[in-house]
Amino acid sequence: MKYQRPRGTADILPGEVEKWQFVENTAREIFKKYQFKEIRTPMFEHYEVIARSVGDTTDIVSKEMYDFYDKGDRHITLRPEGTAPVVRAFVENKLYGPEFPKPYKAYYIGPMFRYERPKAGRLRQFHQLGVEVFGGENPATDVEVMLLALDFYTSLGIKELKLVINSLGDKESRQKYRQGLIDYLTPHYDELSQDSKNRFEKNPLRILDSKDRQDKIIVANAPSILDFLSEKSQNHFDTVKALLDYSGVSFEIDHRMVRGLDYYNDTIFEIMSEAKVFGERVALGGGGRYSGLVEEIGGPETPGVGFGLGFERTLLAIEAEGDTLPLEDSIDVYIVGLGEATNLDSFKLVQAIRHAGFSADRDYMNRGAKAQFKTANRLKAKVVVTIGTEEIEQQVARVKNMASSKEEIVPWTDIYQDFASIYQKITN
Ligand code: AMP
C-alpha cells in the first residue's frame, strides 16, 4: 500500500522550506516596522465562530469548511481564514480593555483550510499571513494596511501588482443598494444559477461574486454600489483614495468587487497579480474594513480593518517574475574524518565548532576521503577540517579554505580554545 498526502496539501521539503522561511522573516520585519504584534490562535474553532463572521451564504461556509463533530459532540471546524479567530481571541481575552494599545494591531501567520478544487496556487491546506487593526475609523489605517501589503510584495521583488479597491458602504448604504440590486436582478431571476437564486433573498450582494458564467454576464450591468454610498461612507472612501494618491500608489476601482466574506463594509481591496503562471488574474491577497464583526462575536462595538494574503501565491509570483531569493545555503565547516579511529575526535571537534557559533557537520558513514570532500562541496562548506590517524597522533587537524585551497595545520587545543580566530584567519 502506498500512502499519499491528502489532495490539495503539500509537503514543504528542505530546499523549498528555506524560501518559506525567507518570506516569513521578511513579513515579520515589515510587521515590526508597522508595529504589529503576533497573535497565535488555534487551528480549529467552534463552527459558529466562523459561520457567524464569514457568513452562512458564502462559499467558504456553505461549501468549503472542514467541519466535524468531535468526541464530545462539539461542532468544530478547521479555520478557513484568520480574521474570525483573531476577532474571537480579541473578544475572549478582552483586548479592547483600557490596558491595551489603541488601535490594537495584531498579525498572524499559519495554515488555513478550505475544501476547494485544487490547482496552481489553490490548495486545501494553504498558508496565510494577515493583519488586523482594532479600534478607530481613521481611513489612514485602511491605507496603511494596503501599503504594508504592498511593501511586503515589493520587498520580495514582486512588481507586477495591481491594487484594486472598492467601497461596500455602511449598513445604510448597503440596504439601499440591496434593494437597487434586487430591482435589477428580478427580471433576470430565472436565468440565474441555482446558487444565486438561493442567495437572491438572503444575500443578493453575494451574486456579484458568483463564478458562474451566465451570472457574470447578468451582473456585468448591475448598478454600482458606489452610487448608493451614504455621505459618511462617501467621505471615508474619498479620503482613502486621496491618501493613496498622496502615497503615489496607483490603484483601480472595481465597483463590482465584493470579496468572498460577508463581514466587510466600507473599504475593501485586493492585490492582484497578472503573472502568467496563474492563467488568469489572481488575488495574491485582500482585505478590508469590518464594523459589526467584534459585536457579532460578543464584544463591544469596535471597528476593524485588516487583510490576509497567501504564501503559496506569493511564492508562485516570485518565481513567475524570475526572481530568486537571497537564500543562505552553505555551511561554515565540514569535518572529514579518515578511518574509524577518528569517530570520537570528529564528534568532539564538530561539537566544539558548533558551540563556537558556526554551522558544522561531519561524516558519519566512515566513507573515503574523496566521498567526504564531495559531500563538503555539495554542502558548499567554506572550510573543511580533516583528521586522520596521523593527525590524531599529533593532536592536530588540517584546516582548509575550500575556495582558495589554502591549508593550515592547527593544534586541537587552538580549535577548542578559539575556533573563531582560526576560521577568520583561514577565510581571509
Ligand atoms: P481570502 O481570505 O479568501 O480573502 O484570501 C486571501 C488570500 O489567501 C488570497 O488572496 C490567496 O492569496 C490566499 N488563498 C485563499 N484561498 C486559498 C487557497 N485555497 N489556496 C491558496 N491560497 C489561498
Side-chain angles (χ1 to χ4, degrees):
M1 158 105 99
K2 267 202 188 135
Y3 291 111
Q4 291 184 328
R5 57 181 186 267
R7 191 164 139 76
T9 64
D11 298 314
I12 306 160
L13 303 175
E16 181 69 15
V17 83
E18 291 77 10
K19 296 181 196 160
W20 287 69
Q21 290 165 343
F22 185 87
V23 170
E24 200 172 312
N25 292 340
T26 303
R28 288 185 196 281
E29 277 167 28
I30 292 173
F31 290 145
K32 193 160 182 210
K33 280 191 201 153
Y34 282 82
Q35 276 298 290
F36 282 80
K37 300 279 161 65
E38 185 174 7
I39 184 164
R40 298 188 188 188
T41 66
M43 239 127 359
F44 55 87
E45 290 281 344
H46 288 293
Y47 180 90
E48 273 300 302
V49 169
I50 308 294
R52 287 190 79 98
S53 331
V54 175
D56 285 332
T57 54
T58 57
D59 280 350
I60 294 180
V61 171
S62 62
K63 297 178 186 162
E64 297 169 1
M65 296 271 266
Y66 274 94
D67 64 314
F68 57 94
Y69 288 86
D70 72 5
K71 291 184 171 52
D73 214 26
R74 300 172 193 90
H75 196 182
I76 297 291
T77 183
L78 300 186
R79 62 182 187 193
E81 57 96 54
T83 299
V86 171
V87 169
R88 197 264 313 131
F90 179 80
V91 173
E92 186 170 349
N93 296 287
K94 299 196 171 60
L95 302 179
Y96 46 77
E99 66 274 40
F100 295 105
K102 284 189 182 43
Y104 192 88
K105 303 201 282 187
Y107 77 86
Y108 57 85
I109 295 184
M112 307 292 163
F113 308 85
R114 294 183 196 171
Y115 193 78
E116 289 193 84
R117 189 189 293 271
K119 60 175 192 177
R122 203 200 293 146
L123 290 103
R124 291 183 175 170
Q125 174 174 333
F126 61 101
H127 299 76
Q128 275 190 346
L129 57 87
V131 305
E132 311 297 341
V133 182
F134 293 105
E137 289 191 303
N138 190 335
T141 51
D142 308 25
V143 175
E144 275 194 32
V145 159
M146 295 177 202
L147 296 182
L148 189 165
L150 289 169
D151 278 0
F152 167 75
Y153 292 120
T154 46
S155 62
L156 291 169
I158 302 174
K159 290 173 224 84
E160 291 173 46
L161 296 168
K162 223 146 253 125
L163 172 65
V164 184
I165 65 168
N166 190 23
S167 171
L168 294 178
D170 50 17
K171 244 193 197 143
E172 182 198 330
S173 324
R174 267 202 311 287
Q175 244 147 28
K176 275 197 209 141
Y177 179 61
R178 187 193 145 94
Q179 196 49 55
L181 193 58
I182 288 180
D183 293 345
Y184 169 80
L185 289 173
T186 303
H188 300 284
Y189 183 82
D190 291 334
E191 303 154 54
L192 288 172
S193 68
Q194 192 52 48
D195 269 351
S196 291
K197 280 182 183 145
N198 296 343
R199 287 161 173 169
F200 188 84
E201 284 293 332
K202 274 203 219 152
N203 194 350
L205 260 75
R206 287 253 68 84
I207 298 176
L208 298 180
D209 201 35
S210 170
K211 288 166 191 103
D212 180 90
R213 248 189 43 216
Q214 179 65 18
D215 288 353
K216 280 187 174 173
I217 296 169
I218 298 170
V219 154
N221 293 318
S224 162
I225 178 111
L226 297 178
D227 296 328
F228 292 78
L229 296 185
S230 67
E231 197 186 334
K232 192 167 169 241
S233 284
Q234 186 66 54
N235 286 338
H236 190 97
F237 195 47
D238 288 343
T239 312
V240 165
K241 288 185 285 183
L243 289 168
L244 281 172
D245 282 335
Y246 186 74
S247 331
V249 171
S250 63
F251 60 93
E252 266 177 28
I253 298 171
D254 175 0
H255 70 84
R256 269 187 295 275
M257 178 168 76
V258 290
R259 303 206 14 83
L261 309 98
D262 273 351
Y263 49 61
Y264 291 114
N265 54 48
D266 283 319
T267 321
I268 54 171
F269 70 96
E270 279 186 346
I271 298 174
M272 314 291 294
S273 166
E274 280 161 343
K276 285 194 185 66
V277 264
F278 297 114
E280 56 188 345
R281 192 168 155 166
V282 76
L284 295 178
R289 180 163 275 287
Y290 43 86
S291 286
L293 196 47
V294 174
E295 280 169 285
E296 189 72 33
I297 300 297
E301 189 185 333
T302 312
V305 59
F307 75 77
L309 60 84
F311 260 75
E312 285 82 358
R313 289 185 199 176
T314 303
L315 288 166
L316 282 172
I318 293 170
E319 269 169 42
E321 298 200 15
D323 262 21
T324 43
L325 300 174
L327 301 178
E328 177 67 60
D329 67 343
S330 59
I331 66 167
D332 298 323
V333 181
Y334 191 77
I335 314 281
V336 169
L338 302 172
E340 241 168 295
T342 58
N343 195 30
L344 176 64
D345 290 305
S346 291
F347 171 78
K348 283 191 195 161
L349 282 169
V350 76
Q351 281 303 97
I353 290 169
R354 287 170 182 159
H355 288 160
F358 296 85
S359 57
D361 215 342
R362 54 160 289 197
D363 177 74
Y364 298 96
M365 321 296 285
N366 196 23
R367 283 177 294 193
K370 213 170 144 194
Q372 292 194 40
F373 270 92
K374 214 169 141 188
T375 304
N377 278 326
R378 191 168 44 79
L379 296 175
K380 300 190 187 123
K382 293 185 198 102
V383 168
V384 167
V385 173
T386 306
I387 53 169
T389 34
E390 210 173 297
E391 284 77 15
I392 294 182
E393 260 169 41
Q394 296 171 22
Q395 305 274 293
V396 295
R398 295 172 182 280
V399 177
K400 181 176 179 184
N401 178 329
M402 293 298 277
S404 67
S405 293
K406 184 166 89 175
E407 190 174 82
E408 283 191 15
I409 294 180
V410 180
W412 289 352
T413 45
D414 291 1
I415 295 182
Y416 291 131
Q417 257 169 31
D418 186 11
F419 182 72
S421 300
I422 297 168
Y423 186 86
Q424 177 81 8
K425 202 168 148 225
I426 199 84
T427 52
N428 272 315

